[in-house]
Amino acid sequence: MSRSRFFAAECFQPLCRQGRILLLVASFCVCAIAADAAELERGDCGKCHSEKVRVLTVAGGPHATEVGCLDCHPQHPPRSGTAFRACDECHQSRPHYEIGGCRHCHTDPHQPLVSLRDPLKPMRLECLSCHPEVGRQMNENPSRHGELYCTRCHSRHKEVSTCLDCHEPHLANQTNPDCGTCHPTHAPLRIVPAGHVPSRFCQVCHAQAARDLAATKTNHGGINCLYCHQGPHRSIPDCQTCHGLPHAPSIHRQHRGCLNCHGGAHHLISNR
Ligand code: HEC
Ligand code: HEC
Ligand code: HEC
Ligand code: HEC
Ligand code: HEC
Ligand code: HEC
Ligand code: HEC
Ligand code: HEC
Ligand code: HEC
Ligand code: HEC
Ligand code: HEC
Ligand code: HEC
């Protein structure tokens, strides 16, 4: 490309963009932009678009190494109607590539990951294209959390808000990790308490059981609620799971229920 054409392009660039004016001034405007892409080589682009080359080199990733300017800009504008190739010409057959609106999130194709904008609009399907397991969990365990947009709780990618941002705890000084011992985040109604859950966490809602247990003189008194109430919330254990049939068969034949003599599980009566 000659130096003078180069120069002219810079000078008349605003004019060249307007087709009609271009006609009028055609005699002066030997416009570089009108050159065929075929004439421009990969190495040429940087002569006029050095900033783009810099950005791509620093943060383009595979868009710099595996793809070249000409792969995305097959014809040099403004001669061509399309200045660039659409994302889905190269990115296909993954759920994530079906969601469209690529540039809503990847705002600059020359640095597609660095420019990833944190979502400003409510989103759900877009997230599920890469996190299908979360969707499955929500479908299998319906709750009001499943009706919220993901971005209600994840306002930036990979960031999470905490339960206490939106809810009061059952008990003062319960912490966020405490919530997780009973409520899985994406399936908060699938309550299977696990790990260290102090009895006072149950006591908030089951005052009577806790009072009875505190009052009994028997060895049930010192036992943690979860030791007996294992598994999903509301499950009730059987005395025999832990004690079998401890008395003479005649006694058990005569009395179907242990509680005929032992009062109750929490307010246990025992003469031992
Ligand atoms: C001789 C200088 C020159 C060279 C070399 C050059 N361009 Fe351009 N290019 C321009 C000018 C001038 C414009 C219009 C600038 C503007 O409006 O910002 C332009 C515009 C563009 C545009 C934007 C079109 C639009 O619609 O906004 C793209 C994309 C582009 N060039 C890609 C390339 C690629 C790829 C190469 C290498 C194959 C290249 N250019 C080489 C001068 C050049
Ligand atoms: C992965 C595809 C891809 C590659 C590779 C790519 N571009 Fe682009 N480029 C685009 C897209 C898409 C746009 C449209 C951006 C817009 O509309 O803001 C664009 C816009 C441009 C523009 C005009 C808009 C602006 O931001 O000024 C220029 C100039 C440009 N590219 C130059 C280059 C050069 C030079 C290279 C190689 C060093 C290159 N591009 C590599 C996809 C690509
Ligand atoms: C000419 C082909 C082509 C076009 C057009 C294209 N890409 Fe790519 N892109 C690639 C290739 C090849 C890779 C590397 C392999 C892969 O990750 O699929 C890549 C990788 C990426 C990456 C991962 C970058 C990284 O650092 O790992 C993102 C994000 C991306 N492309 C987004 C886009 C977006 C958004 C568009 C449209 C604006 C687009 N691409 C257009 C070919 C293309
Ligand atoms: C809702 C926002 C959003 C939209 C819309 C979006 N992406 Fe992404 N994209 C992401 C996020 C988030 C990542 C993961 C970044 C990371 O790994 O940190 C990503 C990663 C990628 C990657 C890198 C490969 C990978 O699996 O990590 C490619 C390629 C890509 N997107 C292409 C596209 C294309 C093509 C489109 C349009 C069909 C698109 N994206 C639309 C948010 C989006
Ligand atoms: C293109 C695929 C892609 C898209 C789209 C995407 N993510 Fe991700 N996301 C990833 C990858 C990859 C990771 C990193 C996983 C890892 O480190 O194990 C990640 C990590 C996360 C994490 C942190 C995981 C952890 O273990 O710390 C959260 C939370 C998250 N994404 C939520 C979202 C939300 C919400 C959206 C929608 C706004 C979304 N993601 C869109 C690919 C994606
Ligand atoms: C009610 C708030 C809330 C909603 C709604 C929500 N999340 Fe989360 N998410 C969290 C919290 C809190 C964590 C971190 C605690 C954890 O690891 O369980 C998390 C963790 C994650 C993780 C990483 C750990 C994991 O479980 O894989 C991903 C990925 C994720 N969320 C994606 C999503 C997606 C996708 C959606 C929408 C379908 C979504 N989230 C909706 C609060 C929420
Ligand atoms: C961004 C706010 C937000 C965050 C963060 C959040 N929630 Fe929620 N949660 C809600 C909303 C909204 C509802 C629907 C009921 C309502 O309007 O109060 C809800 C409902 C619930 C329900 C009842 C579900 C139902 O279907 O009835 C439980 C249990 C729950 N949340 C526990 C948690 C736990 C545990 C955490 C932390 C892992 C958490 N939430 C984090 C907003 C949030
Ligand atoms: C010891 C287990 C346990 C812990 C720890 C726990 N929860 Fe709960 N939570 C429950 C049970 C059980 C329910 C009632 C479910 C039902 O009605 O069947 C519930 C109900 C809820 C509800 C539904 C609305 C309501 O109040 O009725 C919200 C919201 C909630 N919990 C938030 C939290 C938060 C936030 C934390 C952490 C500070 C937390 N929970 C800690 C067991 C627990
Ligand atoms: C030694 C084992 C054991 C311990 C410890 C225990 N429970 Fe129970 N719980 C049982 C058994 C067995 C039943 C069923 C007995 C019955 O039918 O009266 C039961 C019944 C219940 C019931 C339903 C009937 C009722 O009395 O309201 C609730 C609620 C309950 N337990 C809560 C708790 C709480 C809360 C704690 C801890 C403060 C706790 N339990 C500690 C064994 C135990
Ligand atoms: C947020 C309040 C809340 C918390 C915390 C809570 N529960 Fe419950 N629990 C309930 C509700 C509500 C019911 C259903 C009440 C009913 O049916 O009478 C219930 C029912 C039960 C039942 C079955 C009662 C029956 O009569 O069938 C058991 C057993 C039980 N809970 C044990 C526990 C244990 C053990 C903990 C601690 C790990 C706990 N709960 C924590 C609210 C709670
Ligand atoms: C999850 C196991 C478990 C369940 C269920 C359970 N117990 Fe116990 N029980 C214990 C343990 C542990 C002790 C204390 C160790 C001991 O004294 O042998 C105990 C002690 C006792 C004692 C002797 C208490 C004393 O101090 O004299 C009696 C009587 C008893 N249980 C009756 C029952 C009856 C009746 C039920 C059903 C309502 C029941 N248990 C349910 C675990 C359990
Ligand atoms: C007819 C009344 C009666 C019935 C029914 C009964 N018990 Fe007892 N149980 C007693 C008496 C009285 C004692 C204390 C005397 C003793 O030491 O054997 C006792 C003691 C126990 C002890 C403590 C004994 C030890 O060796 O530590 C356990 C555990 C126990 N019972 C469990 C059960 C279970 C489980 C059932 C139901 C399957 C049951 N009992 C039914 C009257 C009964």
Side-chain angles (χ1 to χ4, degrees):
M1 188 182 313
S2 84
R3 214 177 165 74
S4 58
R5 284 174 70 197
F6 206 100
F7 187 65
E10 300 290 336
C11 296
F12 290 97
Q13 182 218 103
L15 300 180
C16 294
R17 285 198 123 181
Q18 309 285 325
R20 269 168 298 161
I21 301 175
L22 176 61
L23 269 181
L24 287 176
V25 297
S27 48
F28 321 66
C29 189
V30 191
C31 193
I33 309 168
D36 265 346
E39 290 174 16
L40 290 171
E41 304 214 336
R42 195 172 173 146
D44 290 333
C45 314
K47 292 172 187 159
C48 303
H49 300 293
S50 57
E51 179 58 16
K52 287 281 176 289
V53 173
R54 195 190 61 77
V55 167
L56 260 154
T57 312
V58 173
H63 278 187
T65 53
E66 294 179 38
V67 183
C69 315
L70 286 164
D71 293 320
C72 288
H73 300 290
Q75 283 181 293
H76 198 260
R79 227 167 82 170
S80 146
T82 45
F84 50 81
R85 282 169 66 191
C87 313
D88 64 11
E89 287 187 48
C90 300
H91 292 286
Q92 282 163 359
S93 48
R94 262 188 64 190
H96 182 61
Y97 303 151
E98 313 281 309
I99 61 180
C102 314
R103 303 221 1 246
H104 173 78
C105 295
H106 303 280
T107 48
D108 184 356
H110 306 115
Q111 38 182 347
L113 282 188
V114 172
S115 68
L116 197 58
R117 175 167 61 196
D118 286 304
L120 301 172
K121 66 168 186 180
M123 269 186 274
R124 186 173 150 85
L125 290 179
E126 294 88 338
C127 313
L128 290 176
S129 73
C130 290
H131 296 292
E133 73 290 347
V134 176
R136 257 196 309 278
Q137 207 189 5
M138 286 176 160
N139 288 340
E140 283 163 13
N141 305 278
S143 83
R144 312 267 281 280
H145 278 187
E147 295 160 15
L148 303 178
Y149 289 112
C150 313
T151 42
R152 271 289 287 277
C153 298
H154 301 286
S155 48
R156 295 171 64 85
H157 193 223
K158 301 189 186 178
E159 268 187 23
V160 296
S161 22
T162 61
C163 316
L164 296 177
D165 291 339
C166 300
H167 296 291
E168 292 295 323
H170 301 299
L171 196 62
N173 58 36
Q174 250 176 347
T175 62
N176 278 300
D178 289 339
C179 312
T181 59
C182 289
H183 297 287
T185 307
H186 300 128
L189 293 184
R190 196 193 68 209
I191 302 175
V192 186
H196 176 66
V197 180
S199 290
R200 63 192 162 83
F201 284 7
C202 311
Q203 182 184 346
V204 207
C205 301
H206 297 293
Q208 184 64 46
R211 261 198 308 275
D212 288 345
L213 216 52
T216 179
K217 302 270 191 302
T218 66
N219 286 344
H220 272 195
I223 301 178
N224 180 286
C225 311
L226 274 196
Y227 179 83
C228 292
H229 294 282
Q230 289 168 12
H233 178 237
R234 301 195 185 191
S235 66
I236 290 185
D238 204 353
C239 312
Q240 290 179 42
T241 319
C242 298
H243 296 295
L245 296 173
H247 304 302
S250 58
I251 294 184
H252 291 304
R253 262 200 307 278
Q254 213 178 326
H255 301 270
R256 294 236 132 195
C258 317
L259 297 181
N260 286 359
C261 302
H262 287 290
H266 308 137
H267 49 94
L268 185 71
I269 299 165
S270 166
N271 300 321
R272 191 172 59 162

